[in-house]
């Protein structure tokens, strides 16, 4: 069946794509009614639908649609299949004049079929309410606070990244006292066929997750989503699928350069013998939490683990870790170690 409208033709499409198409067709019919009544100008100009291809290992696997029904109201529909599994996520949210999401609702299912039901709202009285499958709450909130959903689509990730990037200090407070920071990592202009060149920017958002969020935004007012890429799943504006591989390579290069700069800036060499005293530690071989123990390092590498205060050695450096847990850094891979000389003693200490 071919679906025809006054201005465009689309061939048969997956069932998950039809909901937004039906909404668009409804909007077009409403526009016709408004034209008859002589009042459709503002409606016709305020609605836009952006189409994104989803590739899994370079092969088409689904679609993401972002529908802006008015300047402050957005809905997204993302569905794809990876070897028979994949998420189905429908979101809609309202944002204020700065781009900060103030009302949000999400429904659908995760990659492995778990139900997604989440919502939050900042009301006019300075309070935040939220509810998800695992928690809920109602508490006072700062006027510029950002709330991050548990399972946001790239559309919501881009909305948050664009808001933080547009702030004068590129920072925004989060629930719990932490803050999100946006960093403009790299800019470039993408040329695709006979179309207009598209200026884009790679943005890193830190403070939300253990690793930065990396997302490509169009480098223009509003910073719309252009692409969300990794080596397995690529989500990119339709018509630019051929550019995904080159952008991934550029993103990986930028990520490596960023990690190298951070290592150079933040690394503290531990020469000689270092004692991390009375720490609990996670053993990746047994998948168990061990300790408390004394961990001994020589020139920055862990050489032995003993009972607390069992060894009669005077260390050159001593780090008290009572009440803390030693975790191996997630960024600490053999590839990074070979590139940047990161020691196996890279760690972070967390309160119990």
């Amino acid at each position: 069946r071919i679906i025809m409208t006054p201005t465009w033709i689309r061939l048969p499409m997956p069932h998950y794509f039809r909901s937004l198409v039906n909404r668009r067709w409804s909007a077009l019919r409403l526009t016709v009614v408004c034209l008859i009544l002589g009042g459709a100008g503002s409606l016709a100009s305020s609605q836009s639908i952006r189409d994104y291809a989803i590739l899994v290992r370079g092969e088409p696997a689904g679609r993401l649609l972002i529908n802006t029904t008015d300047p402050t109201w957005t809905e997204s529909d993302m569905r794809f299949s990876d070897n028979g599994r994949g998420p189905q996520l429908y979101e809609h949210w309202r944002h204020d004049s700065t781009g900060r999401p103030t009302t949000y609702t999400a429904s659908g299912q995760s990659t492995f079929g778990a139900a997604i039901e989440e919502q939050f709202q900042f009301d006019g009285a300075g309070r935040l309410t939220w509810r998800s499958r695992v928690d809920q709450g109602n508490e006072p909130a700062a006027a510029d606070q950002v709330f991050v959903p548990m399972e946001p689509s790239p559309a919501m990730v881009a909305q948050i990244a664009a808001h933080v990037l547009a702030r004068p200090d590129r920072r925004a407070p989060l629930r719990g006292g932490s803050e999100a920071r946006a960093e403009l990592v790299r800019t470039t202009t993408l040329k695709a066929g006979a179309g207009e060149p598209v200026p884009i920017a790679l943005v890193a958002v830190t403070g939300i997750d253990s690793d930065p969020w990396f997302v490509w935004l169009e480098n223009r007012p509003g910073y719309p989503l252009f692409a969300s890429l990794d080596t397995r799943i690529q989500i990119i504006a339709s018509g630019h699928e051929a550019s995904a591989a080159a952008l991934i390579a550029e993103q990986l290069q930028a990520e490596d350069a960023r990690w190298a700069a951070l290592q150079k800036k933040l690394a503290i060499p531990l020469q000689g013998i270092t004692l991390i005293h009375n720490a609990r530690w996670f053993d990746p071989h047994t998948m168990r939490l061990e300790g408390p123990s004394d961990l001994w390092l020589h020139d920055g590498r862990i050489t032995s683990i003993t009972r607390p205060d069992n060894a009669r050695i005077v260390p050159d450096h001593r780090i008290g870790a009572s009440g803390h847990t030693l975790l191996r850094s997630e960024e600490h891979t053999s590839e990074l170690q070979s590139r940047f000389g990161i020691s196996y003693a890279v760690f972070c200490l967390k309160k119990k």
Side-chain angles (χ1 to χ4, degrees), residues 44-298:
S45 62
S46 66
Q47 180 167 358
S48 67
I49 296 179
R50 298 172 61 85
D51 185 7
Y52 297 82
I54 301 181
L55 313 176
V56 175
R57 300 178 186 88
E59 297 297 326
R63 275 288 188 274
L64 165 66
L65 292 181
I66 302 176
N67 181 19
T68 302
T69 56
D70 68 47
T72 63
W73 184 258
T74 302
E75 55 188 356
S76 73
D77 195 332
M78 182 185 74
R79 308 181 187 224
F80 68 90
S81 177
D82 177 12
N83 194 27
R85 300 186 301 268
Q88 301 178 13
L89 180 60
Y90 173 67
E91 303 167 298
H92 56 93
W93 67 88
R94 186 176 296 279
H95 59 81
D96 62 19
S97 59
T98 70
R100 180 180 71 104
T102 56
T103 301
Y104 173 88
T105 301
S107 60
Q109 66 181 39
S110 67
T111 298
F112 295 100
I116 297 174
E117 291 291 342
E118 186 170 7
Q119 63 185 48
F120 70 79
Q121 180 178 4
F122 292 93
D123 63 22
R127 297 195 67 85
L128 163 67
T129 57
W130 75 93
R131 187 177 72 239
S132 71
R133 289 184 294 111
V134 297
D135 69 344
Q136 61 183 351
N138 183 326
E139 64 185 25
D144 56 350
Q145 181 176 314
V146 171
F147 189 87
V148 181
M150 291 186 61
E151 300 178 83
S153 75
M156 174 53 70
V157 168
Q159 181 76 53
I160 294 172
H163 165 67
V164 180
L165 186 66
R167 290 174 64 89
D169 58 357
R170 293 182 176 174
R171 299 182 179 187
L174 301 173
R175 180 176 172 269
S178 59
E179 66 177 11
R181 301 186 182 187
E183 176 186 342
L184 193 61
V185 178
R186 182 168 297 189
T187 61
T188 187
T189 298
L190 194 64
K191 299 178 181 179
E196 290 291 327
V198 181
I200 56 177
L202 178 61
V203 178
V205 180
T206 58
I208 294 177
D209 209 340
S210 57
D211 291 339
W213 286 355
F214 286 96
V215 60
W216 291 91
L217 305 178
E218 291 189 28
N219 197 8
R220 61 182 177 88
Y223 300 111
L225 172 66
F226 183 78
S228 176
L229 306 171
D230 61 40
T231 54
R232 189 171 70 90
I233 298 174
Q234 302 90 45
I235 302 174
I236 189 167
S238 291
H240 295 276
E241 293 90 332
S243 301
L247 287 178
I248 290 172
E250 190 168 352
Q251 178 175 321
L252 291 175
Q253 183 184 32
E255 289 182 30
D256 286 350
R258 183 180 181 277
W259 288 124
L262 284 174
Q263 193 271 346
K264 184 177 180 179
K265 177 181 178 181
L266 302 175
I268 301 174
L270 296 174
Q271 303 299 326
I273 297 175
T274 300
L275 167 62
I276 303 176
H277 177 62
N278 205 37
R280 302 196 73 188
W281 54 282
F282 179 74
D283 187 338
H285 301 292
T286 63
M287 302 296 290
R288 294 174 56 186
L289 194 63
E290 305 286 357
S293 306
D294 284 353
L295 291 90
W296 296 87
L297 287 64
H298 184 260

